[in-house]
Amino acid sequence: MYRLRRPPIGFAKSIQSATTLSDRLHGSYNLGWDWDITKKSPSAGLRLGTRNGNSVQDNLISQTFLPGATIPLLSGRNVASKDHDISYDLNSTYTYTFKPQQELSLLGGFTQ
């Protein structure tokens, strides 16, 4: 006859170690243009955002000590992650002035 034994009650203890390297570069660039010479006033703008990141974690070793166990559970792995992104916003405005305090403006924009 087989009996199931319940492990002793207690807390497991974990220890982790690794070599980690992160390399990140972020940028935000803006360009605008306005032309206000006549009653017609066009303007435009561009915003560009960049994100370039790499992260490497070599020799991630986990040791887990269970209650009552004499030998720890071991696991190892290597982890690499990339975070690369480009975003941009485009906008444009066209304003036509009929006379002082009377104008018509058209606005447009796009975001990615």
Side-chain angles (χ1 to χ4, degrees), residues 10-107:
F11 292 99
K13 177 182 174 183
S14 293
I15 299 173
Q16 290 185 328
S17 63
T19 301
T20 304
L21 174 65
S22 288
D23 181 21
R24 303 202 180 277
L25 177 64
H26 301 276
S28 181
Y29 310 95
N30 293 298
L31 175 66
W33 171 73
D34 291 322
W35 184 27
D36 192 13
I37 296 176
T38 64
K39 292 182 179 184
K40 302 174 185 176
S41 303
S43 66
L46 169 67
R47 187 200 62 80
L48 177 67
T50 61
R51 186 170 59 228
N52 187 1
N54 297 309
S55 180
V56 177
Q57 195 171 44
D58 289 331
N59 302 319
L60 173 60
I61 305 294
S62 297
Q63 300 178 50
T64 303
F65 299 89
L66 297 174
T70 56
I71 299 173
L73 300 173
L74 295 174
S75 67
R77 63 183 172 165
N78 293 329
V79 179
S81 64
K82 295 181 179 183
D83 182 16
H84 300 260
D85 185 42
I86 294 177
S87 63
Y88 57 90
D89 299 319
L90 300 170
N91 62 65
S92 180
T93 304
Y94 179 80
T95 303
Y96 182 81
T97 305
F98 295 101
K99 55 185 176 177
Q101 297 184 357
Q102 287 188 349
E103 63 184 30
L104 172 68
S105 293
L106 302 172
L107 308 167

